[in-house]
Amino acid sequence: MTLIDYHNQFWQLDEEKHFTQAETRLYFYLLYLWNSTGRKEWFECKTSMIEHYADVNPMTLTRCRKSLKDRKLLDFKQGSAKGKYHYYCLR
């Protein structure tokens, strides 16, 4: 999918059931990361960096990730060991 396809998919789903401001901010920050890392299927990012730039606290990040995953906009995998970053995949 292209960057525009991801934008359009998000707003179509938002028309059905609105995303929260935090979910919207998280999604578009992850979309930015995906684009800036060469549009790889899976990309990694430090959780504290996402919390900072998406302006969410750890509990909100966990809730928003689950919500976006439940609505099939993203998938994520936790790092396999201490110090390993989470991996994200846009759907």
Side-chain angles (χ1 to χ4, degrees):
M1 283 187 18
T2 68
L3 190 61
I4 297 298
D5 292 332
Y6 283 116
H7 277 259
N8 290 339
Q9 176 184 334
F10 179 87
W11 292 117
Q12 288 168 352
L13 288 172
D14 187 68
E15 286 179 351
E16 297 169 16
K17 183 181 175 211
H18 293 294
F19 290 100
T20 66
Q21 289 179 0
E23 290 166 341
T24 301
R25 191 163 176 95
L26 173 61
Y27 180 79
F28 280 97
Y29 182 66
L30 292 173
L31 189 61
Y32 162 78
L33 287 176
W34 169 76
N35 191 49
S36 66
T37 58
R39 299 181 181 188
K40 297 176 184 174
E41 182 179 7
W42 287 91
F43 57 95
E44 63 182 333
C45 188
K46 189 175 182 180
T47 299
S48 61
M49 190 170 149
I50 293 173
E51 291 168 358
H52 174 76
Y53 286 106
D55 194 26
V56 294
N57 63 46
M59 190 182 317
T60 301
L61 175 60
T62 300
R63 182 185 51 75
C64 290
R65 270 194 315 222
K66 182 181 179 335
S67 174
L68 293 172
K69 184 175 181 172
D70 289 347
R71 292 181 71 181
K72 302 192 183 339
L73 286 175
L74 71 87
D75 197 3
F76 66 94
K77 296 188 270 190
Q78 294 188 0
S80 58
K82 186 175 181 172
K84 294 288 183 182
Y85 301 150
H86 285 35
Y87 284 87
Y88 295 88
C89 176
L90 299 178
R91 298 283 177 213

